[in-house]
């Protein structure tokens, strides 16, 4: 099993954000790049597999209520970056979502098991 920790996604990535399309595109591109860099730093390499089971554990930065679908949507750039790093398109992932206790700054942990 491989794991990588990423920072809490930028508010610009929220589906509820009302940004100009170019600003949103830049935020997604930056998140995707950051995910690839973090995955490589964690020692994650391209997998010789066709599918993956991925668990995302969300540790929000505070106790505010958050919709699960918005948290997942905010991480689309991260998912694409991890998919680039492991070489398995995220349409071939089985995804599980967990919530953890809030931590300062927030965190999203990806746990990846290739099959």
């Amino acid at each position: 099993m491989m794991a990588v920790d990423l920072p809490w996604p930028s508010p610009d990535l929220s589906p509820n954000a009302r940004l100009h399309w170019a600003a949103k595109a830049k935020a997604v591109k930056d998140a995707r790049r950051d995910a690839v860099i973090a995955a490589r730093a964690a020692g994650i390499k391209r997998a010789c597999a066709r599918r993956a089971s991925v668990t995302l554990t969300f540790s929000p930065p505070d106790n505010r209520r958050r919709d699960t679908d918005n948290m997942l949507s905010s991480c689309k750039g991260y998912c694409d970056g991890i998919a680039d790093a492991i070489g398995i398109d995220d349409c071939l992932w089985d995804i599980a979502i967990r919530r953890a206790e809030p931590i300062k700054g927030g965190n999203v942990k990806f746990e990846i098991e290739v099959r």
Side-chain angles (χ1 to χ4, degrees), residues 46-60:
R46 293 184 72 79
C48 295
R50 298 189 62 150
R51 297 190 65 82
S53 295
V54 180
T55 301
L56 282 80
T57 304
F58 292 97
S59 299

Side-chain angles (χ1 to χ4, degrees), residues 32-111:
R32 186 174 189 156
R33 181 201 62 229
D34 292 347
V36 170
I37 291 168
R40 289 187 181 143
I44 294 175
K45 296 184 169 67
R46 293 184 72 79
C48 295
R50 298 189 62 150
R51 297 190 65 82
S53 295
V54 180
T55 301
L56 282 80
T57 304
F58 292 97
S59 299
D62 53 44
N63 283 320
R64 284 187 283 169
R65 293 170 50 137
R66 291 178 167 80
D67 293 340
T68 303
D69 59 329
N70 286 346
M71 290 190 301
L72 182 58
S73 295
S74 295
C75 290
K76 178 63 176 145
Y78 286 164
C79 290
D80 290 340
I82 298 293
D84 292 343
I86 64 173
I88 301 172
D89 193 304
D90 58 346
C91 73
L92 299 173
W93 291 4
D94 295 321
I95 297 178
I97 299 170
R98 294 186 183 143
R99 290 177 185 249
E101 292 298 314
I103 61 171
K104 185 175 181 164
N107 183 348
V108 181
K109 182 175 191 162
F110 281 76
E111 295 173 301

